[in-house]
Amino acid sequence: MTITFITGANKGLGRETARRLVACGHTVLLGARDRERGEEAAAALGARFVPVDVTDDASVAAAAADVAEHEGRIDVLINNAGVQGPFADPGDLTAADARAVLDVNVIGVVRTTAAFLPLLRRSDDPVIINVSSGMGSLAATHDPGRSESHVVVPLYASSKAALTMLTTQYAKGLKDIRVNAADPGYTATDLNGHSGPQTLTEGTDAIVALATEGPGAGTGRFVDRHGEITWS
């Protein structure tokens, strides 16, 4: 039985990923900071709710301890929790704005990964999936034919660029774990006011594919719903 822990899973891409992986036979641990919404989602999907706030060291440590006590290991860690930050004139952005976005999208991934590594290393086939974005791609955000080039979200874009580099570095450094990134694509979620043309199911295709591929699959990859894409 594959045991999968997902952060930010009470709604949107995280919840849909949880739904699909439960249907695939995974034991899903649904991580969320909002207890009421997390418990509701877990009950509806057949998952187990684990409270976690990826910006809080004590909360993440408590979540890892909870899983260690109940499941004893995880096989897949999906770092899905993310925030967009303000749409603003770059000149109006503050250090506090930047800190808030980076604390979830980058530091939160480091914090959560570090806490769950001992549990991953108890797995026969450990996997980490970081939910990134084409908004972190230099090529995509400079290509007039791509939707990413028409959006100005400096903090979100820079945080996702950092996350993709973090993924490649983890993939090189964690030889015993497959570490990959998924680009959901422009999907209708709360982050974009449900303006994306893709459904939640389409947006989770890449995440689910990475979570369900077998042993021996590659590490250090960036994948969207159509397959592997370049990091640039």
Side-chain angles (χ1 to χ4, degrees):
M1 179 72 74
T2 300
I3 302 172
T4 300
F5 184 85
I6 310 171
T7 65
N10 64 288
K11 63 179 181 177
L13 293 169
R15 180 170 176 149
E16 178 65 4
T17 299
R19 183 192 70 78
R20 294 182 67 181
L21 290 180
V22 167
C24 289
H26 286 217
T27 295
V28 172
L29 308 177
L30 189 151
R33 63 179 179 177
D34 185 308
R35 178 174 290 275
E36 183 177 351
R37 291 181 179 180
E39 289 178 342
E40 181 277 324
L45 300 177
R48 185 171 83 80
F49 171 62
V50 178
V52 64
D53 179 348
V54 302
T55 68
D56 183 272
D57 288 344
S59 175
V60 173
D66 179 300
V67 176
E69 178 182 353
H70 290 90
E71 286 77 25
R73 73 168 203 280
I74 61 169
D75 302 291
V76 183
L77 171 63
I78 302 178
N79 287 308
N80 169 75
V83 295
Q84 182 171 271
F87 276 93
D89 183 319
D92 294 332
L93 295 173
T94 67
D97 292 332
R99 192 176 298 113
V101 173
L102 293 171
D103 200 21
V104 177
N105 295 1
V106 182
I107 300 170
V109 171
V110 174
R111 184 179 285 118
T112 305
T113 300
F116 279 83
L117 272 177
L119 295 169
L120 281 163
R121 286 186 165 130
R122 296 176 188 172
S123 170
D124 293 331
D125 184 34
V127 174
I128 297 172
I129 302 164
N130 294 328
V131 180
S132 191
S133 171
M135 285 300 302
S137 164
L138 297 179
T141 54
H142 284 80
D143 181 349
R146 294 283 298 258
S147 60
E148 292 91 341
S149 70
H150 305 291
V151 182
V152 179
V153 278
L155 300 179
Y156 179 79
S158 59
S159 73
K160 292 302 185 180
L163 181 58
T164 55
M165 180 57 76
L166 188 68
T167 301
T168 64
Q169 293 296 301
Y170 275 4
K172 291 178 181 180
L174 299 174
K175 303 295 187 182
D176 54 337
I177 299 174
R178 293 204 310 275
V179 187
N180 295 295
D183 174 16
Y186 192 12
T187 302
T189 67
D190 287 353
L191 283 181
N192 55 46
H194 297 272
S195 62
Q198 289 187 161
T199 66
L200 283 175
T201 300
E202 291 170 329
T204 55
D205 281 348
I207 306 169
V208 171
L210 287 171
T212 55
E213 61 188 1
T219 191
R221 294 170 293 150
F222 195 15
V223 176
D224 68 10
R225 65 189 299 256
H226 303 293
E228 192 166 346
I229 55 179
T230 64
W231 287 101
S232 60

